[in-house]
């Protein structure tokens, strides 16, 4: 992909705004093209996303005449965003890139594929592991006491699962951020190791804020992998820090 013209820290405000506008435009073009593809396959995609709740014997319903078409449109946009994800991440980082020193910019070329892979890994972890457990707990807890019929609309389920997948996709970006900060010298693996208990507390708080559900089971399933990613970032950080020291010595 062709890189945007280099911009330095002395660039006038209007040029900064113009560069930001290009970021949004390229991302929007990618999403629009992806949405066209998403519209074609939206029914199959929704059937795939609905599989966890269907396997529990829950039948999805619609409550308004507009709901089926709006669900189809929303699914199409979601597919568009997923298809355009590499473009979106590239554009975001290419806007940040001018703020870094010349010798730091090369590290960003590793960020785009890493961010995409981790985003998809978080989404897959949520969909195949967390959502089936969470749905069973949310839908059937308390039904042994008071018998009831569970009714879930297509629109509400789609909103629920999008929030779930997005939350886990974002939380899985933690290693990319930490390793980048270690590589440019802002953080060190030793400082991260010493602040484990504060990090764990921070992870719990952030999880409570971004978790798609308020119940403790889902939050626990989000806290555990997030803290494991933090620990993995520390150990990978030692490798990154050694490479940085060798580069400075050379």
């Amino acid at each position: 992909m062709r890189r945007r013209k280099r911009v330095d820290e002395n660039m006038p405000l209007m040029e900064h705004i113009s560069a930001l506008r290009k970021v949004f435009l390229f991302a929007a073009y990618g999403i629009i093209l992806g949405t066209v593809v998403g519209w074609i396959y939206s029914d199959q995609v929704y059937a795939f996303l609905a599989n966890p709740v269907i396997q529990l014997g829950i039948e999805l319903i619609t409550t308004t005449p507009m709901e089926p078409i709006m669900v189809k449109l929303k699914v199409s946009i979601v597919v568009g965003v997923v298809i355009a994800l590499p473009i979106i991440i590239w554009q975001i980082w290419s806007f940040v890139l001018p703020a870094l020193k010349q010798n730091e910019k090369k590290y960003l070329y590793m960020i785009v594929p890493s961010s995409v892979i981790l985003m998809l890994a978080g989404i897959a972890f949520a969909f195949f592991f967390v959502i089936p457990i969470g749905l069973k707990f949310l839908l059937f807890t308390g039904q042994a006491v008071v018998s009831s019929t569970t009714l879930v609309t297509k629109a509400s389920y789609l909103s629920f699962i999008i929030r779930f997948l997005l939350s886990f996709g974002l939380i899985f970006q933690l290693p990319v951020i930490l390793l980048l900060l270690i590589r440019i010298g802002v953080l060190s693996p030793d400082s991260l190791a010493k602040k484990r208990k504060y990090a764990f507390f921070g992870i719990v708080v952030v999880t409570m804020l971004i978790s798609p559900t308020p119940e403790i089971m889902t939050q626990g399933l989000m806290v555990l992998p997030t803290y494991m990613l933090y620990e993995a970032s520390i150990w990978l950080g030692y490798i990154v820090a050694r490479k940085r020291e060798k580069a400075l010595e050379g």
Side-chain angles (χ1 to χ4, degrees), residues 38-49 68 72 75-76:
W39 181 269
I40 299 172
Y41 297 101
S42 59
D43 293 338
Q44 294 92 324
V45 171
Y46 189 86
F48 176 75
L49 293 176
K72 185 177 180 70
V75 171
S76 303

Side-chain angles (χ1 to χ4, degrees), residues 20 83 104 111 138 148 165 190 206 222 245:
L20 184 60
I83 292 175
E104 294 171 349
I111 288 177
L138 292 170
S148 60
L165 299 182
D190 288 331
V206 172
M222 183 178 283
E245 289 173 2

Side-chain angles (χ1 to χ4, degrees), residues 11-27:
M11 179 171 41
L13 177 61
M14 291 307 297
E15 291 189 27
H16 274 295
I17 295 174
S18 177
L20 184 60
R21 176 176 172 272
K22 289 180 180 179
V23 169
F24 285 119
L25 281 177
F26 278 109

Side-chain angles (χ1 to χ4, degrees), residues 16-147:
H16 274 295
I17 295 174
S18 177
L20 184 60
R21 176 176 172 272
K22 289 180 180 179
V23 169
F24 285 119
L25 281 177
F26 278 109
Y29 292 152
I31 292 173
I32 290 171
L33 291 175
T35 299
V36 174
V37 177
W39 181 269
I40 299 172
Y41 297 101
S42 59
D43 293 338
Q44 294 92 324
V45 171
Y46 189 86
F48 176 75
L49 293 176
N51 191 54
V53 75
I54 296 297
Q55 286 187 341
L56 295 175
I58 305 297
E59 186 174 350
L60 297 172
I61 65 171
T62 58
T63 56
T64 66
M66 287 292 293
E67 187 170 344
I69 191 68
M70 294 306 296
V71 167
K72 185 177 180 70
L73 179 60
K74 198 170 183 178
V75 171
S76 303
I77 295 173
V78 170
V79 174
V81 171
V82 172
I83 292 175
L85 195 59
I87 299 174
I88 295 169
I89 293 177
W90 176 270
Q91 289 301 314
I92 291 172
W93 283 111
S94 66
F95 181 73
V96 175
L97 187 145
L100 299 178
K101 297 176 183 178
Q102 191 66 35
N103 64 334
E104 294 171 349
K105 295 178 181 178
K106 60 183 178 181
Y107 308 131
L108 294 181
Y109 293 101
M110 297 181 287
I111 288 177
V112 173
S114 300
S115 293
V116 172
I117 291 171
L118 285 171
M119 174 73 77
L120 295 177
I123 290 172
F125 176 78
F127 184 79
F128 292 107
F129 181 70
V130 180
I131 287 178
I133 297 174
L135 281 175
K136 184 175 290 187
F137 178 80
L138 292 170
L139 291 173
F140 298 112
T141 298
Q143 288 214 19
V145 179
V146 179
S147 179

